[in-house]
Amino acid sequence: MHDHLIHKASSKERQVFHPLLRTLRRCIQQKQGVRLDFILKDGLISPKQAGLPYRLEYSMVKREWYLLWYTWKRRNFMSVRLSKIASVSAVPVRPESYAAALDDIHSLLESRKQRAVIQVQPEYNRELSRILYAFSCFEKEVHYEEQTGTYSIMLTYLGNEGEYVLSKLRFLGKRVRVTEGSLLKKRMRDSAVKALTQYGVLERPAE
């Protein structure tokens, strides 16, 4: 059989489960703080940092778990890969401190939100479910305009998720068009110009 079967090279698979998930989830559920040690780039362990765990997220792009947490020292909202956390210990938090940190987190998240409107081209209305699935991990609202027969998706996402949104837009291609959201529109125009230039449709700009 070895003459007829070929195992092509594949990327290294990561386990969806992580040993720290249970501990961190318990801290979030019980409204406890955490004290974390991190693995630095040189392999050393950083000094302990205290904060409040807010949410566990799994990145489908990087196939890794992330902890979103609030640091007491910097009063900032941060994200860290679970694979970079060396150890976790629970720390009691006073109710008033927990409530104040939660208010800060909500304010920081709101300030980082970006919004865009993505219009589905009418000839692809039958693929609406597929298009919505591409943006399933984002907050969104869908509106239908009867006169033009078009669906509009009002998308809300965090600033650091912009590249992921762009990758979905490029994947959907001519099925959708960004009608509101200056940054997304500019990035999509830049991508289109680069592609047309690469294939000789547009001339390269003079240097």
Side-chain angles (χ1 to χ4, degrees):
M1 293 292 290
H2 67 277
D3 294 328
H4 305 284
L5 296 176
I6 300 175
H7 184 202
K8 294 185 177 180
S10 59
S11 59
K12 184 179 179 182
E13 291 291 333
R14 293 188 176 96
Q15 293 292 330
V16 174
F17 175 79
H18 192 281
L20 294 179
L21 282 174
R22 187 173 298 173
T23 302
L24 290 168
R25 184 178 61 185
R26 187 182 303 115
C27 290
I28 294 171
Q29 290 175 336
Q30 297 178 356
K31 300 181 179 181
Q32 292 182 315
V34 290
R35 189 170 284 114
L36 307 173
D37 287 332
F38 300 103
I39 303 173
L40 303 176
K41 291 183 178 180
D42 55 9
L44 299 176
I45 305 299
S46 70
K48 290 184 180 295
Q49 298 186 40
L52 185 73
Y54 178 69
R55 183 185 297 162
L56 290 163
E57 288 188 353
Y58 184 75
S59 170
M60 295 298 294
V61 176
K62 297 183 179 179
R63 298 187 182 277
E64 282 196 85
W65 279 100
Y66 284 77
L67 171 67
L68 306 183
W69 68 299
Y70 177 86
T71 62
W72 298 120
K73 185 176 182 180
R74 299 181 183 178
R75 299 179 64 84
N76 198 7
F77 192 61
M78 303 178 67
S79 172
V80 61
R81 286 182 288 177
L82 263 60
S83 59
K84 292 298 182 181
I85 299 176
S87 66
V88 178
S89 56
V91 179
V93 177
R94 297 193 304 272
E96 57 272 20
S97 298
Y98 178 87
L102 211 58
D103 286 341
D104 278 354
I105 290 172
H106 292 158
S107 298
L108 289 167
L109 284 175
E110 189 62 32
S111 67
R112 296 178 186 180
K113 282 184 178 180
Q114 295 188 19
R115 293 172 176 84
V117 176
I118 300 166
Q119 187 181 81
V120 179
Q121 299 302 86
E123 59 267 34
Y124 293 100
N125 282 354
R126 62 186 181 279
E127 297 187 34
L128 180 63
S129 59
R130 175 189 179 186
I131 294 168
L132 290 176
Y133 180 76
F135 301 111
S136 59
C137 58
F138 298 110
E139 179 185 340
K140 57 189 173 298
E141 296 180 10
V142 181
H143 298 278
Y144 179 70
E145 177 60 47
E146 292 187 6
Q147 293 181 348
T148 58
T150 56
Y151 288 95
S152 295
I153 305 168
M154 300 180 65
L155 202 67
T156 302
Y157 60 96
L158 296 178
N160 61 355
E161 297 171 333
E163 290 299 322
Y164 185 66
V165 175
L166 284 166
S167 70
K168 292 299 182 181
L169 289 170
R170 295 184 184 115
F171 168 75
L172 292 171
K174 60 183 181 180
R175 296 173 179 82
V176 296
R177 184 170 67 93
V178 181
T179 57
E180 293 183 26
S182 57
L183 182 59
L184 285 184
K185 291 170 73 173
K186 181 180 182 302
R187 292 294 302 276
M188 290 300 290
R189 282 197 300 266
D190 291 345
S191 297
V193 169
K194 288 178 181 178
L196 291 171
T197 304
Q198 181 73 19
Y199 288 96
V201 179
L202 296 178
E203 294 183 1
R204 295 183 182 275
E207 296 182 358

